[in-house]
Tab-separated table of all heavy atoms in Angstrom:
chain	number	residue	atom	x	y	z
A	1	VAL	N	18.298	103.168	226.137
A	1	VAL	CA	17.044	102.595	226.655
A	1	VAL	C	16.305	101.801	225.561
A	1	VAL	O	15.150	101.457	225.726
A	1	VAL	CB	16.105	103.708	227.223
A	1	VAL	CG1	16.756	104.368	228.429
A	1	VAL	CG2	15.701	104.697	226.175
A	2	ASN	N	17.023	101.471	224.477
A	2	ASN	CA	16.498	100.654	223.400
A	2	ASN	C	15.247	101.200	222.742
A	2	ASN	O	14.327	100.488	222.390
A	2	ASN	CB	16.259	99.218	223.867
A	2	ASN	CG	17.556	98.511	224.222
A	2	ASN	OD1	18.540	98.639	223.473
A	2	ASN	ND2	17.567	97.831	225.350
A	3	ASP	N	15.169	102.547	222.635
A	3	ASP	CA	14.053	103.174	221.932
A	3	ASP	C	14.475	103.424	220.484
A	3	ASP	O	14.760	104.564	220.103
A	3	ASP	CB	13.652	104.495	222.649
A	3	ASP	CG	12.320	105.030	222.133
A	3	ASP	OD1	11.837	104.573	221.087
A	3	ASP	OD2	11.768	105.933	222.793
A	4	GLY	N	14.485	102.360	219.717
A	4	GLY	CA	14.945	102.420	218.326
A	4	GLY	C	14.053	103.303	217.479
A	4	GLY	O	14.577	104.010	216.605
A	5	ALA	N	12.781	103.293	217.710
A	5	ALA	CA	11.870	104.098	216.877
A	5	ALA	C	12.169	105.591	217.083
A	5	ALA	O	12.221	106.345	216.120
A	5	ALA	CB	10.418	103.795	217.217
A	6	ALA	N	12.309	106.018	218.328
A	6	ALA	CA	12.624	107.421	218.577
A	6	ALA	C	14.031	107.787	218.056
A	6	ALA	O	14.252	108.874	217.551
A	6	ALA	CB	12.531	107.728	220.074
A	7	ALA	N	14.954	106.828	218.172
A	7	ALA	CA	16.315	107.066	217.639
A	7	ALA	C	16.258	107.248	216.144
A	7	ALA	O	16.937	108.143	215.594
A	7	ALA	CB	17.231	105.904	217.995
A	8	ASP	N	15.430	106.466	215.422
A	8	ASP	CA	15.315	106.608	213.989
A	8	ASP	C	14.713	107.957	213.599
A	8	ASP	O	15.129	108.570	212.647
A	8	ASP	CB	14.448	105.470	213.411
A	8	ASP	CG	15.110	104.118	213.507
A	8	ASP	OD1	16.354	104.034	213.688
A	8	ASP	OD2	14.385	103.085	213.396
A	9	VAL	N	13.733	108.413	214.391
A	9	VAL	CA	13.159	109.754	214.138
A	9	VAL	C	14.212	110.806	214.318
A	9	VAL	O	14.325	111.736	213.502
A	9	VAL	CB	11.938	110.014	215.090
A	9	VAL	CG1	11.503	111.467	215.022
A	9	VAL	CG2	10.774	109.079	214.694
A	10	LEU	N	15.009	110.731	215.381
A	10	LEU	CA	16.060	111.683	215.614
A	10	LEU	C	17.082	111.701	214.491
A	10	LEU	O	17.550	112.747	214.039
A	10	LEU	CB	16.754	111.440	216.989
A	10	LEU	CG	17.848	112.440	217.362
A	10	LEU	CD1	17.317	113.899	217.392
A	10	LEU	CD2	18.439	112.088	218.727
A	11	VAL	N	17.474	110.501	214.014
A	11	VAL	CA	18.395	110.426	212.893
A	11	VAL	C	17.813	111.100	211.667
A	11	VAL	O	18.540	111.827	210.963
A	11	VAL	CB	18.817	108.966	212.620
A	11	VAL	CG1	19.569	108.857	211.279
A	11	VAL	CG2	19.683	108.432	213.741
A	12	ARG	N	16.542	110.894	211.373
A	12	ARG	CA	15.929	111.575	210.248
A	12	ARG	C	16.008	113.106	210.410
A	12	ARG	O	16.218	113.844	209.460
A	12	ARG	CB	14.489	111.132	210.053
A	12	ARG	CG	14.380	109.722	209.417
A	12	ARG	CD	12.981	109.375	208.957
A	12	ARG	NE	12.005	109.245	210.027
A	12	ARG	CZ	11.820	108.142	210.741
A	12	ARG	NH1	12.567	107.080	210.537
A	12	ARG	NH2	10.904	108.121	211.675
A	13	GLN	N	15.836	113.589	211.638
A	13	GLN	CA	15.970	115.036	211.885
A	13	GLN	C	17.402	115.489	211.672
A	13	GLN	O	17.648	116.605	211.104
A	13	GLN	CB	15.533	115.362	213.319
A	13	GLN	CG	14.061	115.163	213.559
A	13	GLN	CD	13.655	115.324	215.024
A	13	GLN	OE1	14.505	115.407	215.911
A	13	GLN	NE2	12.352	115.314	215.268
A	14	ILE	N	18.369	114.687	212.050
A	14	ILE	CA	19.782	115.029	211.847
A	14	ILE	C	20.089	115.082	210.355
A	14	ILE	O	20.774	115.989	209.875
A	14	ILE	CB	20.711	114.030	212.577
A	14	ILE	CG1	20.479	114.059	214.076
A	14	ILE	CG2	22.170	114.298	212.255
A	14	ILE	CD1	21.048	112.876	214.833
A	15	VAL	N	19.569	114.109	209.621
A	15	VAL	CA	19.757	114.078	208.167
A	15	VAL	C	19.186	115.320	207.542
A	15	VAL	O	19.823	115.989	206.677
A	15	VAL	CB	19.176	112.801	207.549
A	15	VAL	CG1	19.095	112.894	206.029
A	15	VAL	CG2	19.987	111.595	207.985
A	16	GLU	N	17.986	115.730	207.921
A	16	GLU	CA	17.391	116.965	207.404
A	16	GLU	C	18.247	118.187	207.773
A	16	GLU	O	18.384	119.120	206.971
A	16	GLU	CB	15.953	117.125	207.912
A	16	GLU	CG	14.986	116.125	207.271
A	16	GLU	CD	15.021	116.171	205.757
A	16	GLU	OE1	14.968	117.283	205.144
A	16	GLU	OE2	15.083	115.077	205.148
A	17	HIS	N	18.802	118.185	208.960
A	17	HIS	CA	19.677	119.246	209.438
A	17	HIS	C	20.893	119.357	208.479
A	17	HIS	O	21.258	120.443	208.050
A	17	HIS	CB	20.125	118.945	210.862
A	17	HIS	CG	21.095	119.889	211.448
A	17	HIS	ND1	20.701	121.018	212.147
A	17	HIS	CD2	22.452	119.893	211.485
A	17	HIS	CE1	21.778	121.681	212.555
A	17	HIS	NE2	22.854	120.984	212.177
A	18	LEU	N	21.473	118.212	208.140
A	18	LEU	CA	22.639	118.206	207.275
A	18	LEU	C	22.251	118.602	205.846
A	18	LEU	O	23.011	119.296	205.168
A	18	LEU	CB	23.262	116.841	207.285
A	18	LEU	CG	23.996	116.440	208.578
A	18	LEU	CD1	24.343	114.969	208.595
A	18	LEU	CD2	25.235	117.291	208.749
A	19	ARG	N	21.058	118.211	205.413
A	19	ARG	CA	20.608	118.581	204.038
A	19	ARG	C	20.378	120.084	203.928
A	19	ARG	O	20.481	120.655	202.861
A	19	ARG	CB	19.314	117.844	203.718
A	19	ARG	CG	19.528	116.438	203.305
A	19	ARG	CD	18.275	115.809	202.827
A	19	ARG	NE	18.535	114.433	202.436
A	19	ARG	CZ	17.637	113.509	202.367
A	19	ARG	NH1	16.370	113.759	202.651
A	19	ARG	NH2	17.939	112.279	202.008
A	20	ALA	N	20.061	120.719	205.055
A	20	ALA	CA	19.853	122.155	205.078
A	20	ALA	C	21.176	122.902	205.204
A	20	ALA	O	21.194	124.126	205.399
A	20	ALA	CB	18.920	122.551	206.217
A	21	ALA	N	22.274	122.174	205.064
A	21	ALA	CA	23.618	122.735	205.115
A	21	ALA	C	23.952	123.334	206.488
A	21	ALA	O	24.705	124.311	206.567
A	21	ALA	CB	23.847	123.735	203.983
A	22	LEU	N	23.324	122.831	207.537
A	22	LEU	CA	23.641	123.279	208.881
A	22	LEU	C	24.750	122.395	209.455
A	22	LEU	O	24.859	121.206	209.094
A	22	LEU	CB	22.382	123.219	209.756
A	22	LEU	CG	21.251	124.154	209.276
A	22	LEU	CD1	19.971	123.877	210.006
A	22	LEU	CD2	21.668	125.607	209.433
A	23	PRO	N	25.591	122.943	210.323
A	23	PRO	CA	26.779	122.223	210.725
A	23	PRO	C	26.529	121.086	211.719
A	23	PRO	O	25.605	121.129	212.488
A	23	PRO	CB	27.626	123.317	211.371
A	23	PRO	CG	26.641	124.313	211.887
A	23	PRO	CD	25.508	124.294	210.880
A	24	LEU	N	27.388	120.072	211.605
A	24	LEU	CA	27.490	119.008	212.554
A	24	LEU	C	28.950	118.701	212.701
A	24	LEU	O	29.675	118.647	211.701
A	24	LEU	CB	26.717	117.776	212.056
A	24	LEU	CG	26.570	116.617	212.998
A	24	LEU	CD1	25.721	116.964	214.208
A	24	LEU	CD2	25.940	115.421	212.267
A	25	GLU	N	29.417	118.525	213.907
A	25	GLU	CA	30.849	118.252	214.140
A	25	GLU	C	31.164	116.842	213.710
A	25	GLU	O	30.410	115.900	213.931
A	25	GLU	CB	31.186	118.457	215.623
A	25	GLU	CG	31.057	119.869	216.130
A	25	GLU	CD	32.069	120.802	215.475
A	25	GLU	OE1	33.246	120.375	215.298
A	25	GLU	OE2	31.682	121.952	215.148
A	26	LEU	N	32.356	116.698	213.120
A	26	LEU	CA	32.814	115.361	212.695
A	26	LEU	C	32.863	114.379	213.860
A	26	LEU	O	32.417	113.239	213.723
A	26	LEU	CB	34.209	115.491	212.069
A	26	LEU	CG	34.854	114.202	211.598
A	26	LEU	CD1	34.028	113.518	210.532
A	26	LEU	CD2	36.274	114.500	211.074
A	27	GLY	N	33.320	114.822	215.002
A	27	GLY	CA	33.382	113.952	216.179
A	27	GLY	C	31.998	113.484	216.610
A	27	GLY	O	31.818	112.315	216.993
A	28	ASP	N	31.012	114.350	216.543
A	28	ASP	CA	29.638	113.983	216.896
A	28	ASP	C	29.090	112.957	215.899
A	28	ASP	O	28.429	111.983	216.290
A	28	ASP	CB	28.726	115.186	216.949
A	28	ASP	CG	29.035	116.114	218.141
A	28	ASP	OD1	29.521	115.593	219.163
A	28	ASP	OD2	28.753	117.312	218.029
A	29	ALA	N	29.349	113.192	214.609
A	29	ALA	CA	28.886	112.252	213.591
A	29	ALA	C	29.492	110.857	213.802
A	29	ALA	O	28.792	109.853	213.762
A	29	ALA	CB	29.193	112.779	212.196
A	30	ARG	N	30.806	110.848	214.041
A	30	ARG	CA	31.471	109.565	214.240
A	30	ARG	C	30.945	108.845	215.499
A	30	ARG	O	30.739	107.653	215.477
A	30	ARG	CB	32.977	109.779	214.364
A	30	ARG	CG	33.602	110.145	213.030
A	30	ARG	CD	35.021	110.570	213.062
A	30	ARG	NE	35.840	110.021	214.119
A	30	ARG	CZ	37.133	110.239	214.220
A	30	ARG	NH1	37.751	110.988	213.320
A	30	ARG	NH2	37.843	109.716	215.210
A	31	ARG	N	30.701	109.627	216.573
A	31	ARG	CA	30.171	109.030	217.784
A	31	ARG	C	28.778	108.450	217.570
A	31	ARG	O	28.465	107.322	217.990
A	31	ARG	CB	30.130	110.091	218.878
A	31	ARG	CG	29.522	109.564	220.171
A	31	ARG	CD	29.508	110.654	221.206
A	31	ARG	NE	28.617	110.263	222.293
A	31	ARG	CZ	27.971	111.080	223.065
A	31	ARG	NH1	28.135	112.379	222.937
A	31	ARG	NH2	27.160	110.668	224.022
A	32	MET	N	27.923	109.215	216.872
A	32	MET	CA	26.551	108.723	216.618
A	32	MET	C	26.568	107.469	215.746
A	32	MET	O	25.814	106.519	216.005
A	32	MET	CB	25.697	109.839	215.992
A	32	MET	CG	25.392	110.926	216.972
A	32	MET	SD	24.251	112.176	216.291
A	32	MET	CE	25.325	113.061	215.177
A	33	LEU	N	27.402	107.446	214.755
A	33	LEU	CA	27.522	106.260	213.903
A	33	LEU	C	27.969	105.051	214.716
A	33	LEU	O	27.454	103.951	214.541
A	33	LEU	CB	28.450	106.525	212.731
A	33	LEU	CG	27.906	107.485	211.680
A	33	LEU	CD1	29.000	107.909	210.728
A	33	LEU	CD2	26.751	106.838	210.922
A	34	GLY	N	28.927	105.248	215.614
A	34	GLY	CA	29.374	104.165	216.476
A	34	GLY	C	28.276	103.645	217.387
A	34	GLY	O	28.093	102.459	217.585
A	35	ASP	N	27.495	104.603	217.947
A	35	ASP	CA	26.375	104.215	218.814
A	35	ASP	C	25.317	103.408	218.018
A	35	ASP	O	24.794	102.409	218.509
A	35	ASP	CB	25.713	105.423	219.460
A	35	ASP	CG	26.597	106.089	220.521
A	35	ASP	OD1	27.570	105.465	220.992
A	35	ASP	OD2	26.295	107.267	220.840
A	36	LEU	N	25.017	103.864	216.825
A	36	LEU	CA	24.024	103.160	215.973
A	36	LEU	C	24.559	101.772	215.600
A	36	LEU	O	23.793	100.811	215.571
A	36	LEU	CB	23.741	103.998	214.713
A	36	LEU	CG	22.923	105.260	214.944
A	36	LEU	CD1	23.012	106.179	213.725
A	36	LEU	CD2	21.474	104.926	215.284
A	37	ARG	N	25.855	101.655	215.316
A	37	ARG	CA	26.426	100.358	214.947
A	37	ARG	C	26.320	99.364	216.097
A	37	ARG	O	25.922	98.220	215.942
A	37	ARG	CB	27.890	100.521	214.557
A	37	ARG	CG	28.567	99.182	214.156
A	37	ARG	CD	30.026	99.327	213.809
A	37	ARG	NE	30.794	100.083	214.790
A	37	ARG	CZ	31.219	99.634	215.959
A	37	ARG	NH1	30.930	98.391	216.352
A	37	ARG	NH2	31.903	100.394	216.768
């Protein structure tokens, strides 16, 4: 829906999640990177 601002906020939350050493699946990370690209 082209809500880039909300997408950027969500990505910052995902980054914090990863910094806290919480898991994220490789497939999900690859998919999200493709969507962002």
